[in-house]
Amino acid sequence: KQEVTQIPAALSVPEGENLVLNCSFTDSAIYNLQWFRQDPGKGLTSLLLIQSSQREQTSGRLNASLDKSSGRSTLYIAASQPGDSATYLCAVETSGSRLTFGEGTQLTVNP
Amino acid sequence: AAGVIQSPRHLIKEKRETATLKCYPIPRHDTVYWYQQGPGQDPQFLISFYEKMQSDKGSIPDRFSAQQFSDYHSELNMSSLELGDSALYFCASSLQLAPDTQYFGPGTRLTVL
């Protein structure tokens, strides 16, 4: 059974810092990995999707990497802003196309 | 661009009542997924449909059923509601023919009293 773990569970940083969120998964037989953002009580916004054959994806200040063999992914956020405050969820797609989510990292960027 | 539409956005029910949640996927998307997110928890996969056929099944209680219709919209039917069913229910859609992002709807918040 696929298990996804995210570290840290919570992170508080001052505005402008670069930061890294970590995600690990137990079964390396994945099709892709997605990073989502969720604001409190709101829906899921897809940030980046990395196919299993890719190593990284970039979108603006976000960069996600994937090391499939070691079962790890990182989300790098450059020059963090208060508007980045949210919960960031990592999810892997395995057989049947279902997504298995981690428990998320709650990020607070302080002005 | 059109997104996934879910209705209703909020729903309050009593124990033992039934509820129906609706999901309208992005146009041309042929696959629909349902997820349940309890308070403070990560989303858990319930069930998915591709071309109106169930394609995968997760931790969906027997009290719940779902289907996908000819216009690709999907409905999640929940009976004999329990307090523990209170959660945010997400629908996502994707295009099966190509590896693609699952696009999530805004969710339906179900509260069971």
Side-chain angles (χ1 to χ4, degrees), chain A residues 32 34 36 38 40-46 49 51 89 93 95-104, chain B residues 33 35 37 42-45 48 55-59 88 90 96 99-102 104-107 109:
Chain A
N32 60 53
Q34 280 183 250
F36 291 89
Q38 186 174 32
K42 302 295 185 182
L44 300 170
T45 300
S46 180
L49 177 141
Q51 301 291 351
L89 293 160
E93 179 177 336
S95 62
S97 298
R98 67 171 70 182
L99 291 179
T100 301
F101 285 83
E103 294 184 344
Chain B
Y33 312 80
Y35 294 85
Q37 186 178 28
D42 52 288
Q44 296 291 319
F45 172 75
S48 63
S55 56
D56 194 8
K57 188 174 182 180
S59 51
L88 197 53
F90 289 110
Q96 192 72 359
D100 204 0
T101 303
Q102 289 188 24
F104 280 74
R109 181 169 296 282

Side-chain angles (χ1 to χ4, degrees), chain A residues 35-39 43-47 82-89:
Chain A
W35 282 94
F36 291 89
R37 169 186 172 138
Q38 186 174 32
D39 293 285
L44 300 170
T45 300
S46 180
L47 299 173
D84 294 333
S85 298
T87 296
Y88 290 80
L89 293 160

